[in-house]
Amino acid sequence: MLSRLLRVESFKHLLESASNALLISDHKGQIVFSNAALEKCFGYTGKELLELTIEDLIPKRFRQQHKIYHADYIASPHLHGTHQRLSDALKQLGLHKNGTEFPLEISLIPLETSTGLYVLSIIQETTLQRPAEEAPSQHEALAWESKARLQAILNTATDGIIVIDENGIIETFNPGAERLFGYKAVEAIGQNIIILMPSPHREQGAGYIERYLQTGQGRFIGASRETTGMRKNGSTFPIDISISEMHLGERRLFTGIVRDITERHHFKELEEKNAELERFIYTVSHDLRSPLITIQGFSGMLKQSFTQHNQEQILEDIGRIQAAAGKMQLLLDDLLELSRIGRLPNTPEKFSLSDLVHEAIELVQGAITKGGVQIKVAPTLPHLFGDRRRLLEVMQNLIENAVKFMGDQKAPWIEINAYEEDEKLLCYVRDNGMGINPRYHEKIFNLFDRLHQNVEGTGIGLTIVKRIIEVHEGCIWVQSAGVIGQGSTFYFSLPRAPD
């Protein structure tokens, strides 16, 4: 019946030439006819529309509710209340092919045929402009003006503006977000926000909103924070993100304003590298000069001892030269190790912190046994995610330092433990040794800064530790009163390992 009706030229011309957008759908919501105005309104071609259902033309968050009311309407098409509930389900919003939402008005006319019920939908896109004769109230005029301003902000903002619901589903994705992440709005809307996160944030993101909803606490909400975003092509970049919570009726939404801070990071890194280079040139020249002077001096003494046939003195001079050369080799090896961190990364993996700690203890066992140090390791430790080889260096270095700076402690001990806090893993290595004066808490992580010149080492160890932790997006610090016997506690944080 309907197909015959559409073949009637006058009727078909009437539908196709109508200024309003028209579509006809069957009892399942499948589109069987659309006119040119509808194609223009939603951005699809007529052929594309015939492959869609009504739900494809409304925002995803309303589709399930719409299906329920649509079924009621098909069962009782002449009941005004059912018609009104179906219109309410649409929330007066259409979904364009490019993913943008726009206001509209809908009227429904049931078409009963011998092959079943069809529905003619008359759709009028409402704009921010109203005919003068409507004379909107002052309240309505302000509402329309506010809406226009909001849309203009979304469209022209250089920052990315993203709105998600309580399940992390993206509802708004402005042009700024498209430029940042490489997704078109139509691709991003309806997807979970984790598509914009790299590992390990991606694995943690699914439970973050849920935990916030349960506890009301979250490090992102209501604050600005630097983190890492991931583009559609898989590349990552540093971002600054501010998230605020808002309520629309009973719905709770979260709006994120995202800014690419790649240039800021590059500038900051350049400043740090320049400052580090200055320190490096000065300290390397100083630290290498000392063993070179030793080699030069004892080379002259070796020549003199050789002419005097003083065998004992010759061996002693050679020993001192070898020791100075060994110190230079150690210094150069540490510098090479420092330069490789972050530049030659190993594949990140999830592994047991407990296994890592015991492996580090084995590597330092000689010094531990010699110093009579008791090691206390928590019976249960969480897992880590990262470069296992580099994080083993961190643990080994911290244990080695604790043993090295015990002083005259009669009953030395080292305690190692870790726990989760605010989506992070905090690990600490605590000792009861010499302690560190608070004025030096930051200095000890600087390149070549050594507090005790009489203790063996190059002064690069803690710099390497700090660099490894920062490459893992964590931080390291020390707590100590600088009192002998009260020791020090070195803390480092890392992102929580994915579940």
Side-chain angles (χ1 to χ4, degrees):
M1 176 68 178
L2 180 66
S3 59
R4 288 203 306 270
L5 187 59
L6 290 176
R7 282 197 291 268
V8 176
E9 201 62 34
S10 58
F11 180 69
K12 185 177 181 180
H13 177 74
L14 177 65
L15 296 179
E16 290 181 341
S17 61
S19 58
N20 286 335
L22 304 177
L23 71 81
I24 298 176
S25 58
D26 63 16
H27 66 286
K28 293 181 180 180
Q30 184 71 41
I31 299 173
V32 298
F33 172 83
S34 64
N35 68 349
L38 187 86
E39 295 168 19
K40 181 179 179 181
C41 183
F42 288 91
Y44 292 96
T45 65
K47 185 178 180 180
E48 289 174 325
L49 285 165
L50 292 178
E51 296 177 356
L52 303 179
T53 65
I54 299 173
E55 276 79 24
D56 293 316
L57 303 183
I58 64 176
K60 289 186 178 182
R61 59 187 181 277
F62 303 135
R63 291 177 185 175
Q64 191 58 42
Q65 184 183 13
H66 176 269
K67 287 180 180 179
I68 297 172
Y69 289 158
H70 181 265
D72 289 344
Y73 178 81
I74 293 298
S76 307
H78 299 289
L79 293 181
H80 176 73
T82 304
H83 181 175
Q84 185 60 46
R85 284 194 298 161
L86 183 57
S87 297
D88 290 342
L90 296 175
K91 303 296 183 185
Q92 290 78 47
L93 285 177
L95 181 66
H96 195 274
K97 181 181 178 180
N98 64 12
T100 59
E101 299 177 4
F102 59 93
L104 48 77
E105 293 178 358
I106 302 174
S107 297
L108 305 178
I109 299 175
L111 302 175
E112 296 180 357
T113 73
S114 58
T115 57
L117 180 68
Y118 292 83
V119 179
L120 171 63
S121 299
I122 305 172
I123 301 171
Q124 182 176 3
E125 181 180 359
T126 58
T127 65
L128 300 178
Q129 301 295 326
R130 289 194 175 191
E133 61 269 15
E134 288 191 17
S137 66
Q138 183 179 4
H139 177 76
E140 289 177 316
L142 290 174
W144 283 98
E145 182 181 354
S146 176
K147 190 171 185 179
R149 288 178 179 176
L150 177 60
Q151 192 62 48
I153 291 171
L154 287 173
N155 291 338
T156 60
T158 56
D159 292 337
I161 301 177
I162 304 170
V163 179
I164 63 172
D165 65 13
E166 293 180 335
N167 297 313
I169 303 302
I170 298 172
E171 295 193 0
T172 299
F173 202 78
N174 79 327
E178 292 181 326
R179 290 190 294 271
L180 286 179
F181 293 97
Y183 289 94
K184 294 295 184 182
V186 67
E187 297 174 303
I189 292 173
Q191 299 291 326
N192 195 288
I193 190 67
I194 64 173
I195 67 170
L196 309 180
M197 304 176 183
S199 293
H201 308 295
R202 175 187 292 261
E203 290 77 11
Q204 299 168 2
Y208 178 75
I209 296 177
E210 182 179 348
R211 284 188 288 273
Y212 173 74
L213 295 175
Q214 292 174 353
T215 65
Q217 297 179 350
R219 54 179 177 158
F220 282 100
I221 310 300
S224 177
R225 184 178 182 274
E226 291 188 12
T227 184
T228 304
M230 185 172 71
R231 300 184 182 92
K232 181 181 178 181
N233 63 10
S235 62
T236 60
F237 62 108
I239 60 174
D240 183 280
I241 181 169
S242 298
I243 299 180
S244 58
E245 181 183 351
M246 63 181 177
H247 294 264
L248 291 178
E250 297 181 357
R251 300 184 69 235
R252 180 151 50 167
L253 301 175
F254 300 91
T255 300
I257 300 178
V258 185
R259 176 169 297 175
D260 185 344
I261 55 172
T262 301
E263 288 189 12
R264 184 200 302 177
H265 266 226
H266 286 168
F267 182 74
K268 183 179 179 181
E269 288 173 2
L270 185 60
E271 284 187 323
E272 291 174 351
K273 286 179 179 178
N274 284 339
E276 188 173 287
L277 183 60
E278 290 179 6
R279 292 196 304 270
F280 177 82
I281 293 172
Y282 173 79
T283 53
V284 167
S285 62
H286 177 273
D287 280 46
L288 287 179
R289 185 183 295 117
S290 179
L292 281 173
I293 292 173
T294 299
I295 292 172
Q296 187 177 32
F298 279 95
S299 294
M301 294 176 66
L302 177 63
K303 183 178 180 180
Q304 182 180 351
S305 300
F306 184 78
T307 57
Q308 296 174 353
H309 304 286
N310 188 339
Q311 189 73 17
E312 183 179 345
Q313 188 62 47
I314 288 173
L315 293 175
E316 184 177 333
D317 293 343
I318 291 174
R320 291 181 181 274
I321 291 172
Q322 288 177 331
K327 184 177 180 181
M328 289 179 64
Q329 182 65 52
L330 184 63
L331 177 64
L332 292 172
D333 286 346
D334 280 353
L335 288 172
L336 182 60
E337 179 71 12
L338 181 64
S339 71
R340 287 173 173 168
I341 297 171
R343 185 170 56 86
L344 299 171
N346 297 303
T347 303
E349 58 182 301
K350 185 177 180 179
F351 56 89
S352 165
L353 176 57
S354 181
D355 291 347
L356 187 84
V357 169
H358 286 95
E359 185 176 343
I361 292 172
E362 284 295 318
L363 293 171
V364 192
Q365 191 60 55
I368 293 173
T369 302
K370 183 179 179 181
V373 181
Q374 179 187 5
I375 305 293
K376 307 173 184 178
V377 181
T380 303
L381 293 174
H383 281 70
L384 294 183
F385 182 84
D387 185 333
R388 191 183 190 283
R389 178 184 168 188
R390 294 297 186 195
L391 292 173
L392 177 61
E393 291 181 50
V394 169
M395 189 58 63
Q396 179 184 346
N397 199 300
L398 293 178
I399 295 173
E400 199 168 34
N401 265 14
V403 173
K404 193 184 297 183
F405 295 99
M406 277 296 175
D408 298 327
Q409 178 60 250
K410 302 300 181 184
W413 54 259
I414 297 173
E415 177 187 345
I416 302 171
N417 201 352
Y419 55 93
E420 292 182 1
E421 181 179 277
D422 292 336
E423 299 298 311
K424 291 182 179 180
L425 183 142
L426 290 181
C427 183
Y428 66 81
V429 177
R430 179 175 293 149
D431 65 69
N432 64 338
M434 299 168 60
I436 302 170
N437 191 306
R439 76 176 72 172
Y440 301 123
H441 283 187
E442 293 186 11
K443 182 179 180 182
I444 59 174
F445 294 104
N446 293 337
L447 191 62
F448 299 115
D449 276 339
R450 299 169 59 191
L451 301 184
H452 303 277
Q453 300 299 322
N454 59 331
V455 178
E456 182 182 351
T458 61
I460 303 178
L462 285 177
T463 306
I464 291 175
V465 167
K466 183 172 184 286
R467 183 74 58 83
I468 293 172
I469 294 299
E470 289 177 343
V471 166
H472 282 79
E473 299 184 5
C475 56
I476 185 168
W477 67 97
V478 63
Q479 290 183 355
S480 177
V483 178
I484 296 176
Q486 293 185 11
S488 307
T489 302
F490 280 83
Y491 289 91
F492 65 86
S493 67
L494 294 171
R496 188 174 67 88
D499 297 328

